Amino acid sequence: MSNKPPPRPPQQASPVLSAAASLRQLLDSLSREQRRNQELLVSLAFTLRSFTNLGRFLELVPLVASRLVEAEGAVLVVFHEDGRIWREQLQASPGDRCAELVRQLAALGDGELTLLDQRVGRLLGGSQVFATSVMARSVQRGRLYVFSGRQGFAWSEVHRRHLQLVADLSAVALENDALQQTMRRHERLDRQLSTGAEIQAQLLPDHCPVIDGVELAARCRPAFQVGGDYYDFIPTRPQLQGQRREQARWALVMGDVMGKGVPAGLLMTLLRGMLRAEVLSGHSPERILHDLNQLAQEDLAHSHRFVTLFYSDYDPKTRRLRFANAAHNPPLIWRRRRNQVDRLDAPGLLIGLQSEADYGIEQVVLESGDVVLYYTDGVTEATGFSGERFDEERLIRQLQTACHAGLGAQGILDQLFARLDRFVGAERQLDDDASMVVLKVREELMLPLLPS
């Protein structure tokens, strides 16, 4: 008889060790799932950071959403900013059910959007559906649907948070695309404004003409790229063969279209063409304003804008300056002999206010050393840091100071603009277009009288 002990029965695993192993496996599975989900979200965020095509980014959204929660499929419905379905951007994960759902949603009328969730639920009958909104700046820009027909499938709180994160990333992509589109529109507008400003600058005189016996200086500073101020120097009669250009009578004009920016600039350009054609008639200043008012009446009425205009013509031989005024700021004249500033004004209504308007005419004979300053209201209405306006009285004082110092026309103009800039502030923009033209009669050389 053998003395060997009987074989031991196989040892049973300890219940505690079994539970620990199961827990370890569960934790390993959760860890792998977390890493997978993290990688999916990171890849979507990286694509968002570097995307240049909205459609390609949105294609990833349903695919990532369905994989995050291990659902059967997902569909992203994007809305235009006005709330209509953006049919070109309907996106879905692969699968026949998703393709059919996209086809049905593309045929959905805009008036049925309030029933969108119900329609999706009916089309996915028998499946569990989770939906969340894509919100951008408190405006709903879409809906993200995720569904599964698997038995026992349930949406956990982690699932919901992940899907909301995907929806939020989609909202950021839509907002980025909208901002890029807006930026492109602004860039196109800036290019158009720059072109308009160049054209307008070419329409204003690029230099002052040479007129016998006087000095001229002019400058226009628009508040925006395109402005509504206008000044011009126009020969008032055709040149005769052999006649020197500086011997002709010259029209000196200063105008201002109500408003600023592109609309005012376009009307200024229109008015310039009309006025230049009218000047060739050789009529007197009041007749020219009368005819110009009638010509521009219809165009100005449609635009609901008016124009102020001071028109004068100067004869170098007689030094006579004739003028008429359509409610523009009266030019200032500094009389050298009296060291006094007066206004040049004549009665008249705004251009475009009414079709039948009468304009008065006045004239003055300039003397040696006299200075005439034409300007627009953007100069006198410019505001300083305290809100105080530059006003006409301050402009008169500055003009007297510059003229009394014996400066030439350009020197006077430079000093007036420098004083205006100091008043407004170097870092601040003018509220309105500001233009000035300085005409100075050259001072004659006076020889001393010899004793008899």
Side-chain angles (χ1 to χ4, degrees), residues 211-286:
I211 301 178
D212 212 18
V214 300
E215 299 174 24
L216 285 171
R219 187 179 305 164
C220 174
R221 184 178 293 170
F224 300 111
Q225 283 183 283
V226 180
D229 281 5
Y230 166 61
Y231 66 86
D232 211 346
F233 312 104
I234 314 167
T236 62
R237 62 188 180 201
Q239 303 298 302
L240 299 177
Q241 188 174 5
Q243 184 183 25
R244 292 195 310 161
R245 187 177 181 82
E246 59 268 27
Q247 291 179 339
R249 268 194 305 126
W250 284 85
L252 291 84
V253 187
M254 176 68 76
D256 186 5
V257 179
M258 288 182 61
K260 43 190 175 289
V262 175
L266 291 173
L267 287 174
M268 184 277 281
T269 304
L270 175 70
L271 189 74
R272 174 188 181 275
M274 292 181 178
L275 179 61
R276 279 186 159 253
E278 188 64 28
V279 168
L280 295 177
S281 66
H283 292 313
S284 59
E286 83 283 6

Side-chain angles (χ1 to χ4, degrees), residues 346-357:
L349 297 176
L350 294 161
I351 301 293
L353 186 62
Q354 63 183 45
S355 57
E356 288 299 330

Side-chain angles (χ1 to χ4, degrees), residues 6 56 62 92 96 105 112 134 215 236 277 298 326 376 378 395 400:
R56 290 181 181 175
D96 294 339
L105 293 176
E112 303 175 77
V134 177
E215 299 174 24
T236 62
E298 183 176 355
T376 59
L395 180 61
Q400 280 184 305

Side-chain angles (χ1 to χ4, degrees), residues 77 79 82-85 108-117:
V77 183
F79 304 149
D82 59 5
R84 295 179 296 110
I85 289 182
L108 190 65
D110 293 328
E112 303 175 77
L113 288 180
T114 54
L115 306 175
L116 184 60
D117 288 355

Side-chain angles (χ1 to χ4, degrees), residues 377-398:
D377 59 5
V379 175
T380 51
E381 294 182 6
T383 55
F385 291 103
S386 63
E388 183 183 7
R389 296 186 183 277
F390 192 74
D391 69 45
E392 187 186 54
E393 291 303 318
R394 185 176 280 104
L395 180 61
I396 289 174
R397 291 196 301 271
Q398 297 304 319

Side-chain angles (χ1 to χ4, degrees), residues 173-246:
L174 290 168
E175 186 64 16
N176 283 349
D177 183 72
L179 291 174
Q180 287 182 8
Q181 296 296 333
T182 301
M183 184 175 64
R184 292 189 188 102
R185 287 196 296 270
H186 288 171
E187 288 174 351
R188 289 195 296 269
L189 181 58
D190 286 343
R191 287 195 296 269
Q192 293 171 6
L193 287 174
S194 297
T195 302
E198 290 174 6
I199 294 173
Q200 187 181 43
Q202 292 170 3
L203 293 177
L204 291 174
D206 58 355
H207 65 278
C208 296
V210 177
I211 301 178
D212 212 18
V214 300
E215 299 174 24
L216 285 171
R219 187 179 305 164
C220 174
R221 184 178 293 170
F224 300 111
Q225 283 183 283
V226 180
D229 281 5
Y230 166 61
Y231 66 86
D232 211 346
F233 312 104
I234 314 167
T236 62
R237 62 188 180 201
Q239 303 298 302
L240 299 177
Q241 188 174 5
Q243 184 183 25
R244 292 195 310 161
R245 187 177 181 82
E246 59 268 27

